[in-house]
Amino acid sequence: MKALYKASATTTGGRAGHVKSDDGLIDMKLELPKELGGKGGAHTNPEQLFAAGYSACFGSALQFVAKENKVDIGDNFDVTATVGIGKHPELGGFLLEVVLDVTLPGIDEETGEKLINEAHEVCPYSRATQDNIDVTLNLMV
Protein backbone atom coordinates (compact mmCIF):
# COMPACT_ATOMS: atom_id res chain seq x y z
CA MET A 1 0.00 0.00 0.00
CA LYS A 2 1.15 3.50 -0.76
CA ALA A 3 0.00 5.73 2.11
CA LEU A 4 -1.94 8.78 0.97
CA TYR A 5 -1.77 10.31 4.45
CA LYS A 6 -0.02 9.49 7.68
CA ALA A 7 -0.88 10.58 11.20
CA SER A 8 1.36 10.26 14.21
CA ALA A 9 0.73 10.61 17.93
CA THR A 10 2.88 9.87 20.96
CA THR A 11 1.59 8.85 24.36
CA THR A 12 3.72 9.22 27.46
CA GLY A 13 2.66 7.35 30.58
CA GLY A 14 0.13 4.91 29.10
CA ARG A 15 -3.60 5.12 29.80
CA ALA A 16 -3.17 7.68 32.58
CA GLY A 17 -0.62 9.74 30.69
CA HIS A 18 -0.59 12.36 27.98
CA VAL A 19 -1.12 12.08 24.22
CA LYS A 20 0.03 14.55 21.59
CA SER A 21 -0.18 14.40 17.81
CA ASP A 22 2.80 15.41 15.72
CA ASP A 23 0.94 18.54 14.55
CA GLY A 24 -0.23 19.47 18.07
CA LEU A 25 -3.96 19.34 17.22
CA ILE A 26 -4.36 16.58 19.78
CA ASP A 27 -2.65 17.52 23.03
CA MET A 28 -4.45 16.13 26.05
CA LYS A 29 -4.23 14.26 29.28
CA LEU A 30 -5.50 10.70 29.41
CA GLU A 31 -7.17 9.10 32.38
CA LEU A 32 -7.99 5.50 33.17
CA PRO A 33 -11.78 5.12 33.61
CA LYS A 34 -13.08 4.16 37.06
CA GLU A 35 -14.46 0.95 35.55
CA LEU A 36 -10.89 -0.10 34.77
CA GLY A 37 -9.52 0.84 38.18
CA GLY A 38 -8.59 4.45 37.48
CA LYS A 39 -9.69 7.82 38.81
CA GLY A 40 -11.93 8.65 35.87
CA GLY A 41 -12.64 12.33 35.67
CA ALA A 42 -12.56 14.99 33.00
CA HIS A 43 -10.00 13.43 30.67
CA THR A 44 -10.37 11.16 27.66
CA ASN A 45 -9.18 7.59 27.20
CA PRO A 46 -8.12 5.36 24.29
CA GLU A 47 -11.58 3.84 23.88
CA GLN A 48 -13.17 7.27 23.41
CA LEU A 49 -10.50 8.24 20.89
CA PHE A 50 -10.99 4.96 19.00
CA ALA A 51 -14.79 5.47 19.02
CA ALA A 52 -14.35 8.98 17.62
CA GLY A 53 -12.02 7.82 14.86
CA TYR A 54 -14.10 4.78 13.91
CA SER A 55 -17.39 6.70 13.79
CA ALA A 56 -15.88 9.43 11.59
CA CYS A 57 -14.20 6.95 9.26
CA PHE A 58 -17.33 4.81 8.96
CA GLY A 59 -19.34 7.95 8.15
CA SER A 60 -16.98 8.73 5.29
CA ALA A 61 -17.24 5.13 4.07
CA LEU A 62 -21.04 5.54 4.07
CA GLN A 63 -20.74 8.68 1.95
CA PHE A 64 -18.45 6.83 -0.47
CA VAL A 65 -20.74 3.81 -0.94
CA ALA A 66 -23.85 6.00 -1.13
CA LYS A 67 -22.26 7.97 -3.97
CA GLU A 68 -21.23 4.72 -5.70
CA ASN A 69 -24.86 3.52 -5.39
CA LYS A 70 -26.24 6.90 -6.49
CA VAL A 71 -28.08 7.36 -3.17
CA ASP A 72 -28.24 10.83 -1.64
CA ILE A 73 -27.81 10.45 2.13
CA GLY A 74 -27.30 14.18 2.63
CA ASP A 75 -25.22 15.40 5.54
CA ASN A 76 -27.73 14.85 8.34
CA PHE A 77 -26.78 11.20 8.97
CA ASP A 78 -24.84 10.07 12.01
CA VAL A 79 -22.75 7.17 13.22
CA THR A 80 -22.32 6.44 16.91
CA ALA A 81 -19.49 4.05 17.76
CA THR A 82 -19.61 2.46 21.20
CA VAL A 83 -16.34 0.78 22.13
CA GLY A 84 -16.30 -1.74 24.93
CA ILE A 85 -13.25 -3.22 26.63
CA GLY A 86 -13.19 -6.33 28.76
CA LYS A 87 -11.01 -9.20 29.86
CA HIS A 88 -10.35 -12.01 27.42
CA PRO A 89 -12.22 -15.06 28.80
CA GLU A 90 -9.56 -17.63 27.86
CA LEU A 91 -6.24 -16.01 27.05
CA GLY A 92 -5.91 -13.26 29.65
CA GLY A 93 -5.37 -9.66 28.71
CA PHE A 94 -8.12 -7.60 27.15
CA LEU A 95 -10.47 -7.49 24.16
CA LEU A 96 -12.41 -4.76 22.41
CA GLU A 97 -15.88 -4.79 20.91
CA VAL A 98 -17.62 -2.14 18.84
CA VAL A 99 -21.26 -1.34 18.14
CA LEU A 100 -21.93 1.05 15.25
CA ASP A 101 -25.38 2.67 15.39
CA VAL A 102 -26.13 4.35 12.06
CA THR A 103 -28.98 6.81 11.47
CA LEU A 104 -29.82 7.59 7.84
CA PRO A 105 -32.83 9.95 7.81
CA GLY A 106 -35.08 9.54 4.79
CA ILE A 107 -33.45 6.29 3.64
CA ASP A 108 -35.59 3.14 3.53
CA GLU A 109 -34.52 0.15 5.63
CA GLU A 110 -33.45 -2.09 2.74
CA THR A 111 -31.25 0.61 1.20
CA GLY A 112 -29.87 1.59 4.60
CA GLU A 113 -28.88 -1.99 5.43
CA LYS A 114 -27.21 -2.34 2.02
CA LEU A 115 -25.24 0.88 2.53
CA ILE A 116 -24.01 0.08 6.04
CA ASN A 117 -22.96 -3.42 5.01
CA GLU A 118 -21.07 -2.08 2.00
CA ALA A 119 -19.51 0.67 4.12
CA HIS A 120 -18.30 -2.02 6.53
CA GLU A 121 -16.54 -3.71 3.61
CA VAL A 122 -14.64 -0.57 2.51
CA CYS A 123 -14.04 1.29 5.80
CA PRO A 124 -10.35 1.03 6.79
CA TYR A 125 -11.27 0.77 10.48
CA SER A 126 -13.65 -2.09 9.70
CA ARG A 127 -10.97 -3.80 7.65
CA ALA A 128 -8.44 -3.36 10.45
CA THR A 129 -10.79 -4.91 13.00
CA GLN A 130 -12.06 -7.73 10.74
CA ASP A 131 -11.66 -11.11 12.46
CA ASN A 132 -10.01 -9.34 15.42
CA ILE A 133 -12.91 -7.85 17.37
CA ASP A 134 -16.68 -8.17 17.32
CA VAL A 135 -18.32 -5.32 15.40
CA THR A 136 -22.11 -5.03 15.45
CA LEU A 137 -23.84 -2.89 12.80
CA ASN A 138 -27.23 -1.37 13.67
CA LEU A 139 -29.41 0.67 11.37
CA MET A 140 -31.43 2.97 13.61
CA VAL A 141 -34.91 3.59 12.18
Side-chain angles (χ1 to χ4, degrees), residues 5-136:
Y5 170 75
K6 293 182 182 182
S8 179
T10 301
T11 299
T12 304
R15 289 177 159 274
H18 187 269
V19 63
K20 185 174 183 179
S21 61
D22 60 341
D23 61 6
L25 291 175
I26 297 173
D27 188 355
M28 60 184 62
K29 181 167 175 25
L30 300 172
E31 193 59 66
L32 187 65
K34 286 182 182 181
E35 297 85 350
L36 297 177
K39 295 186 293 185
H43 303 288
T44 194
N45 60 66
E47 289 69 40
Q48 288 177 327
L49 295 170
F50 183 55
Y54 202 161
S55 64
C57 188
F58 197 86
S60 288
L62 272 170
Q63 290 173 311
F64 173 79
V65 299
K67 184 176 180 181
E68 293 285 306
N69 284 279
K70 297 178 176 41
V71 176
D72 182 8
I73 62 171
D75 58 3
N76 196 27
F77 67 94
D78 62 55
V79 178
T80 300
T82 303
V83 175
I85 184 170
K87 291 187 177 182
H88 192 294
E90 293 98 30
L91 302 176
F94 296 89
L95 289 172
L96 295 175
E97 66 181 10
V98 176
V99 176
L100 295 173
D101 292 323
V102 180
T103 305
L104 295 168
I107 303 298
D108 66 87
E109 188 172 351
E110 183 180 340
T111 302
E113 291 287 347
K114 178 181 182 343
L115 293 176
I116 65 172
N117 286 318
E118 286 184 19
H120 192 51
E121 294 296 318
V122 302
C123 174
Y125 276 63
S126 292
R127 286 181 173 171
T129 61
Q130 187 176 4
D131 298 324
N132 293 313
I133 68 174
D134 289 334
V135 177
T136 303

